[in-house]
Amino acid sequence: MSETETSTPSPAPAPVAKPWIEAIHAYVPGKSTGKDGRALIKLSANENPLGTSEAALAAKAQPPALYPDPDSKALREAIGARHGLDPARMVMGTGSDELLNLVAQGYAGPGDEVVYVRYGFAVYDIAARRCGATPVIAPDADYGTDIEALLACVTDRTRVVFVANPNNPTGSFLPAGEIARLHAALPSDVVLVIDQAYGEYVAAQDDDGAMALAAAHENVLVTRTFSKIFGLAGERVGWATGAPGLIATLNRIRGPFNVPATGQAMALAALGDTDFVERSREHNREERARFAEKLAALGNFGLRPLPSQANFVLVLFEGALTAEAALEGLAEAGYVVRWLPGQGLPQALRITIGKRADMDVIAETLRTMAEAAG
Ligand SMILES: *Cc1c(COP(=O)(O)O)cnc(C)c1O
């Protein structure tokens, strides 16, 4: 018997993921239960507290045995009509998350850089890393997006810049002048992605001008979603608009049947229910202001609600009451909100604007806790 036959065989090698994939921290979704598994009122994922439009709920899709329209043609035409866009300059995604990932994959790879602001949307980090590119994080300006800081991070390796406007989790908003200034200073071969997931919550007079930039330039992609104001997060429908070159890239690499038939039908109906959208926007505007005012009154206890143009408020805890203790107190009271220590925000809670009665309980719970903590 030879040596090799008697020695213990070394284990068969397991598959090895790429190092840039190993470096990804999987996205942590907003929770819907407390530590003990108890169901809580969920204000952790920026879903619409009014639910979904009746018209969307009544929408009928084709039989499930059939593949959906691979091009979401009717939906693109309806969105185009609503926003004054050429449907040929649009692509639909399995949520806008898919499109954010695809634009990074289409334009960046190993050795390239993808830039976004500190306290930006968590998906940008995953999108950058999963194509092997290097994420470059620009410093914030008191939790807001700082154009100069973003531009200072741009090098000849930069391929994509992500800006959410309004931003998640901060709620901060860049006016049209700032977006235009950012675009004007970027090299024309860098893709500027303006993520308008919360665009419908922004007052019409505050339009950030990104759609107009996307219509006029080769390097601007605007993304939108049916997950937030339209109340269709479960259906996974997002879209993007931009120059034909950008759209062609995304169409090459997206899933051919990436938007299910039910999602297409419900989104089409939701788009037509302008009353529901208007009611949702108005509810959010009123309750966000009311809630922020109550929290601002707790300023001497170190609570600081950041100004928000979205359907949530990021509350900083800079006094004796910590965000973690507040998270637990709110869970006791029956609510789950978002604590984001993994995103460098152990000092903050992101609270989705819910129904008035719930926001009142939350504000009151925070007041009681802040006073007790001193
Ligand atoms: C919620 C959100 C999205 C949308 O995600 P979907 O995949 O469309 O559900 C995109 N960007 C930001 C900043 C968001 O907060």
Side-chain angles (χ1 to χ4, degrees):
M1 252 193 199
S2 77
E3 283 273 333
T4 49
E5 279 170 296
T6 54
S7 64
T8 43
S10 59
V16 178
K18 291 294 165 195
W20 55 87
I21 301 295
E22 291 286 351
I24 293 175
H25 296 283
Y27 185 83
V28 183
K31 295 185 168 63
S32 55
T33 56
K35 277 185 185 161
D36 52 5
R38 190 164 52 105
L40 300 174
I41 293 181
K42 186 185 179 196
L43 295 175
S44 62
N46 303 338
E47 293 144 336
N48 190 332
L50 307 187
T52 307
S53 127
E54 291 295 332
L57 292 174
K60 288 270 181 296
Q62 64 185 35
L66 304 178
Y67 278 107
D69 174 3
D71 298 317
S72 306
K73 189 162 178 286
L75 183 54
R76 277 187 303 118
E77 284 173 354
I79 297 168
R82 171 62 45 80
H83 290 278
L85 298 170
D86 178 355
R89 297 176 65 102
M90 291 172 44
V91 58
M92 305 301 303
T94 312
S96 51
D97 279 4
E98 182 193 26
L99 301 168
L100 298 170
N101 279 296
L102 293 183
V103 68
Q105 190 186 350
Y107 292 92
D112 297 328
E113 294 173 349
V114 172
V115 176
Y116 49 89
V117 75
R118 187 177 177 214
Y119 314 131
F121 184 40
V123 164
Y124 306 154
D125 184 76
I126 297 172
R129 291 179 193 276
R130 82 176 204 176
C131 61
T134 304
V136 176
I137 299 167
D140 60 300
D142 193 27
Y143 300 95
T145 299
D146 181 339
I147 299 292
E148 296 312 323
L150 271 180
L151 287 169
C153 289
V154 173
T155 71
D156 57 7
R157 296 184 162 200
T158 306
R159 308 284 14 118
V160 178
V161 175
F162 283 113
V163 173
N165 204 34
N167 186 37
N168 171 16
T170 61
S172 66
F173 181 73
L174 292 169
E178 291 287 278
I179 295 287
R181 196 159 67 85
L182 171 62
H183 176 256
L186 277 181
S188 61
D189 62 348
V190 172
V191 182
L192 173 60
V193 181
I194 307 290
D195 174 349
Q196 294 186 334
Y198 303 96
E200 295 84 0
Y201 288 105
V202 176
Q205 71 269 18
D206 293 333
D207 174 17
D208 69 5
M211 292 259 187
L213 286 177
H217 299 277
E218 299 295 312
N219 67 330
V220 180
L221 189 78
V222 173
T223 60
R224 288 255 179 158
T225 183
F226 282 88
S227 297
K228 304 288 159 55
I229 209 166
F230 292 101
L232 288 173
E235 295 298 326
R236 315 304 306 127
V237 189
W239 57 278
T241 183
L246 297 176
I247 299 304
T249 298
L250 300 182
N251 272 324
R252 268 186 207 111
I253 54 179
R254 72 175 168 87
F257 302 104
N258 59 343
V259 184
T262 46
Q264 292 187 34
M266 291 180 89
L268 189 59
L271 195 68
D273 191 347
T274 51
D275 279 359
F276 177 81
V277 173
E278 193 46 50
R279 252 189 301 129
S280 299
R281 179 171 24 241
E282 202 43 32
H283 168 86
N284 186 66
R285 195 184 58 75
E286 263 178 47
E287 299 310 321
R288 186 182 61 203
R290 209 174 121 95
F291 182 64
E293 193 181 307
K294 289 185 179 192
L295 294 200
L298 301 175
N300 43 358
F301 297 104
L303 272 67
R304 175 155 73 109
L306 294 179
S308 171
Q309 290 265 30
N311 66 343
F312 56 85
V313 174
L314 190 74
V315 185
L316 304 176
F317 293 79
E318 301 171 324
L321 176 64
T322 65
E324 191 175 13
L327 178 76
E328 279 168 25
L330 290 175
E332 288 290 305
Y335 298 92
V336 59
V337 301
R338 196 70 171 271
W339 185 43
L340 293 162
Q343 277 182 254
L345 287 166
Q347 72 279 33
L349 294 180
R350 193 196 67 195
I351 304 176
T352 303
I353 300 302
K355 297 195 167 92
R356 171 169 292 193
D358 292 323
M359 300 320 286
D360 285 352
V361 174
I362 288 173
E364 188 53 26
T365 305
L366 290 175
R367 189 181 64 78
T368 309
M369 279 191 288
E371 284 174 0

